[in-house]
């Protein structure tokens, strides 16, 4: 992927002279984008597979918005052994005066990481991210014999397993110009459990992670994770609300507002109701750059459970009316606060902000397709507005609100707590910059680089490579 991005960047500067007509001509018919998923992350390792978008513009009268868009992905991750299959459809023209957004996703996560609850309150700290004795996926760390006589000695303290099937369909229709109603239904089937580890050979013996020495098992044994949710379950979420949209285009707006307010509730098994509010603003800055004016874009967001309690298998979900990426999980990683581990913050309520400056460096035409290259320095910040499982965690905490796990202390040879309730309200913030390469203003290859500045949550240099702007 890095070679692909570098090649595209060199082509951009070499061919920029032929791009004078990009903004004036229309794109017609079919357009295809296909790329290998040659990405890397500290959470999942190298990604192998392919992803892409298929656009149909018809006679070009709706360009740069397509009449129909189909997105797909099939990939596998070498470190976490995650497998993803995804197929999505999006159109504002299939049904007159109505937008349809539907998708099917299947994902396996045999070595998924459960980092704990409520952001900085989960106090594993940077010492357990780095070094020879970290306890995340480290086959060189063994279980002390004083705690177990099992032969399964490798350590992945934050490991567990999950499998997901998701089927969703969302609809929008116009009330008055720029104001739409929105409604949808999302079906989920989750299976949770201990890690499914293929093991590795050490001295001619197969060694596996110890599934008893995990945070997942500690939380089950102490009734923080309940019997009703520890193995997964079903969810049928219904959502309804309003959307206000004045953007000049969708993939990378130059100006306008995109705001949403809606309720999202589960009607199966463990019921809950969430309130979600998003405000996104795109401001064109009148600086005469040949490739186009810079754009200052920001998002203010709030999501909170207002009734019931979210089960473990759904708490990481970040419900959206229109899916811009295959997985809409948070908080952390590419969808909310960049620079954090994937799903590093699990909470019932979260407010966050994203701000970035989008600057097109150059545009050009190649093989009858229109391209541009852009950069986007950014700043992200967030805070927990309602903690997750506060009552259950409080029952096993000592007087100062801290929780200790003897297994964790033995593994790390420390007296550190695994949870500190006093840190629930800590501000979480990060900064970084991204590089974007767009084809026909819709198929956008994205590479973001970020670092978190909140104590105890730093994951080093975070890299996210995928498609689309974050918002």
């Amino acid at each position: 992927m890095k070679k692909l991005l570098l090649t595209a960047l060199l082509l951009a500067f070499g061919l920029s002279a032929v791009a004078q007509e990009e903004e004036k001509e229309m794109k017609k018919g079919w357009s295809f984008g296909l790329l290998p998923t040659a990405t890397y992350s500290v959470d999942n390792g190298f990604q192998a597979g392919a992803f892409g978008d298929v656009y149909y513009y018809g006679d070009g009268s709706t360009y740069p918005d397509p009449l129909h868009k189909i997105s797909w992905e099939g990939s596998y991750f070498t470190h976490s052994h995650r497998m993803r299959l995804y197929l999505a459809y999006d159109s504002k023209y299939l049904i007159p005066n109505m937008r349809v957004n539907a998708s099917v996703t299947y994902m396996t996560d045999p070595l998924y990481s459960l980092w704990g609850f409520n952001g900085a309150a989960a106090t594993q700290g940077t010492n357990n991210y780095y070094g020879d004795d970290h306890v995340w996926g480290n086959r060189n760390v063994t279980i002390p014999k004083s705690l177990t006589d099992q032969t399964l000695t490798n350590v992945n303290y934050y490991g567990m397993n999950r499998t997901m099937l998701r089927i969703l369909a969302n609809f929008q229709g116009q009330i008055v110009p720029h104001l739409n109603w929105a409604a949808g239904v999302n079906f989920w089937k989750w299976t949770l459990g201990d890690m499914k580890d293929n093991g590795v050979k050490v001295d001619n013996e197969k060694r596996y992670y110890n599934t008893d020495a995990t945070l997942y098992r500690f939380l089950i044994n102490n009734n923080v994770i309940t019997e009703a949710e520890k193995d997964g379950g079903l969810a049928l979420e219904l959502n309804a609300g309003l959307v206000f949209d004045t953007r000049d285009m969708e993939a990378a707006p130059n100006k306008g507002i995109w705001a949403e307010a809606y309720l999202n509730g589960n009607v199966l098994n463990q019921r809950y109701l969430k309130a979600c509010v998003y405000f996104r603003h795109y401001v064109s800055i009148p600086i005469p750059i040949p490739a186009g004016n810079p754009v200052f874009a920001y998002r203010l967001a709030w999501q909170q459970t207002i009734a019931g309690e979210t089960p473990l298998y759904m708490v990481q979900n970040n419900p959206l009316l229109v899916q811009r990426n295959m997985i809409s999980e948070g908080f952390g990683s590419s969808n909310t606060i960049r620079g954090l581990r994937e799903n590093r913050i699990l909470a019932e309520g979260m407010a966050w902000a994203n701000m970035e400056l989008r600057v097109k460096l150059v545009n050009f035409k190649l093989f009858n397709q229109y391209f541009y290259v852009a950069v986007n320095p950014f700043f992200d910040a967030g805070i927990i507005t309602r903690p997750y499982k506060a009552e259950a965690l409080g029952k096993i905490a000592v007087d100062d609100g801290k929780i200790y796990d003897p297994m964790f202390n033995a593994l790390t040879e420390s007296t550190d707590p695994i949870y500190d309730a006093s840190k629930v309200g800590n501000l979480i913030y990060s900064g970084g910059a991204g590089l974007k390469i767009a084809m026909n203003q819709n198929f956008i290859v994205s590479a973001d680089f970020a670092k978190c500045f909140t104590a105890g949550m730093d994951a080093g240099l975070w890299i996210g490579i995928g498609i689309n702007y974050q918002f």
Side-chain angles (χ1 to χ4, degrees):
M1 179 61 76
K2 291 181 180 178
K3 291 181 179 179
L4 176 66
L5 294 172
L6 179 59
T7 301
L9 184 60
L10 293 174
L11 284 171
F13 283 99
L15 298 171
S16 59
V18 301
Q20 301 301 319
E21 73 275 23
E22 177 194 2
E23 300 296 336
K24 299 178 182 179
E25 291 190 10
M26 295 184 299
K27 185 69 181 175
K28 299 180 181 181
W30 293 92
S31 178
F32 301 87
L34 170 64
L35 284 175
T37 55
T39 68
Y40 173 81
S41 72
V42 293
D43 291 293
N44 299 303
F46 291 98
Q47 182 185 18
F51 71 97
D53 290 331
V54 179
Y55 302 94
Y56 180 66
Y57 294 99
D59 62 5
S61 59
T62 63
Y63 180 80
D65 288 336
L67 288 171
H68 307 282
K69 175 184 175 182
I70 299 172
S71 303
W72 61 273
E73 178 186 309
S75 65
Y76 174 82
F77 295 81
T78 58
H79 181 71
S80 65
H81 304 297
R82 171 181 291 176
M83 186 270 289
R84 299 195 311 201
L85 299 174
Y86 174 69
L87 181 65
Y89 172 80
D90 185 29
S91 176
K92 295 187 291 185
Y93 305 97
L94 178 67
I95 301 174
N97 302 316
M98 186 178 296
R99 179 171 191 163
V100 178
N101 177 251
S103 69
V104 178
T105 308
Y106 178 75
M107 180 173 69
T108 62
D109 249 331
L111 297 175
Y112 174 71
S113 295
L114 173 65
W115 298 107
F117 303 143
N118 303 319
T123 54
Q124 63 263 34
T126 55
N127 290 336
N128 296 311
Y129 284 145
Y130 310 113
D132 294 333
D133 59 348
H134 70 83
V135 294
W136 172 68
N138 191 343
R139 294 192 184 274
N140 293 321
V141 172
T142 58
I143 306 298
K145 291 183 178 180
S146 60
L147 295 175
T148 178
D149 57 359
Q150 296 184 31
T151 58
L152 309 181
T153 57
N154 292 252
V155 173
N156 188 1
Y157 183 75
Y158 301 107
M160 62 175 292
N161 166 62
R162 66 174 188 171
T163 300
M164 178 200 78
L165 171 66
R166 182 190 68 187
I167 303 172
L168 66 82
N170 293 320
F171 306 89
Q172 290 188 33
Q174 188 178 97
I175 300 174
V176 295
H178 304 302
L179 181 64
N180 292 348
W181 58 265
V185 56
N186 305 322
F187 172 79
W188 308 75
K189 184 180 186 301
W190 289 95
T191 302
L192 305 183
D194 294 316
M195 291 174 286
K196 293 185 177 180
D197 179 20
N198 293 328
V200 296
K201 250 187 178 178
V202 178
D203 297 328
N204 294 320
E205 293 184 1
K206 209 71 176 288
R207 296 178 62 178
Y208 298 87
Y209 288 130
N210 189 315
T211 56
D212 289 327
T214 63
L215 178 62
Y216 173 68
R217 275 290 143 196
F218 174 83
L219 295 173
I220 290 174
N221 294 338
N222 286 276
N223 299 315
V224 177
I225 296 176
T226 66
E227 285 293 320
E229 62 188 341
K230 70 180 181 65
D231 298 321
L234 303 177
L236 183 63
E237 291 186 330
L238 306 179
N239 58 60
L242 299 173
V243 179
F244 180 73
D245 192 352
T246 63
R247 293 172 293 172
D248 60 337
M249 61 176 295
E250 292 196 10
N254 298 296
K255 60 181 180 179
I257 291 173
W258 177 22
E260 300 170 313
Y262 54 96
L263 296 175
N264 185 81
N266 178 36
V267 298
L268 288 181
N269 300 326
Q270 193 167 328
R271 300 182 180 184
Y272 54 83
L273 181 66
K274 295 179 181 290
C276 305
V277 179
Y278 296 86
F279 180 85
R280 313 166 186 89
H281 192 194
Y282 309 89
V283 182
S284 179
I285 302 174
I287 298 176
I289 297 177
N293 289 351
V295 175
F296 176 67
Y298 66 92
R299 172 174 65 179
L300 305 176
W302 172 68
Q303 172 189 312
Q304 182 161 317
T305 303
I306 58 176
E309 182 178 83
T310 311
L312 174 68
Y313 49 87
M314 290 299 296
V315 70
Q316 82 291 337
N317 182 43
N318 184 22
L320 298 173
L321 296 181
V322 177
Q323 299 289 327
R324 290 177 61 85
N325 296 296
M326 194 193 80
I327 298 297
S328 58
E329 294 187 336
F331 299 88
S333 193
S334 59
N335 293 320
T336 49
I337 302 176
R338 289 159 285 195
L340 302 179
R341 296 279 189 173
E342 182 181 70
N343 294 337
R344 176 62 177 83
I345 308 168
L346 298 181
E348 289 281 23
M350 185 79 180
W352 72 99
N354 311 103
M355 294 169 282
E356 60 184 40
L357 182 64
R358 302 173 179 178
V359 182
K360 293 181 182 178
L361 300 176
V362 66
N363 54 9
F364 61 96
K365 184 177 180 181
L366 179 65
F367 304 126
N368 202 34
Q369 308 294 326
Y370 300 111
F371 293 83
Y372 70 77
V373 178
V375 294
N376 60 306
F378 57 80
F379 177 79
D380 299 338
I383 192 168
I384 293 171
T385 58
R386 180 182 171 186
Y388 185 53
K389 293 187 178 292
E391 182 177 350
L393 290 167
K395 290 180 180 179
I396 62 172
V398 295
D399 292 340
D400 60 358
K402 295 178 181 178
I403 297 173
Y404 297 86
D405 177 7
M407 178 67 76
F408 178 83
N409 294 139
L411 294 174
T412 59
E413 297 181 349
S414 73
T415 57
D416 297 334
I418 62 168
Y419 187 83
D420 184 350
S422 68
K423 297 183 178 181
V424 170
N426 285 10
L427 178 68
I428 302 158
Y429 60 106
S430 65
L435 175 68
K436 303 291 186 286
I437 301 176
M439 183 181 74
N440 299 324
Q441 299 200 57
N442 282 292
F443 186 77
I444 302 173
V445 178
S446 170
D448 287 332
F449 305 85
K451 186 172 179 61
C452 178
F453 305 115
T454 301
M457 301 191 71
D458 175 25
L461 178 62
W462 176 88
I463 301 175
I465 301 177
I467 57 174
N468 295 325
Y469 280 95
Q470 189 199 57
F471 60 95

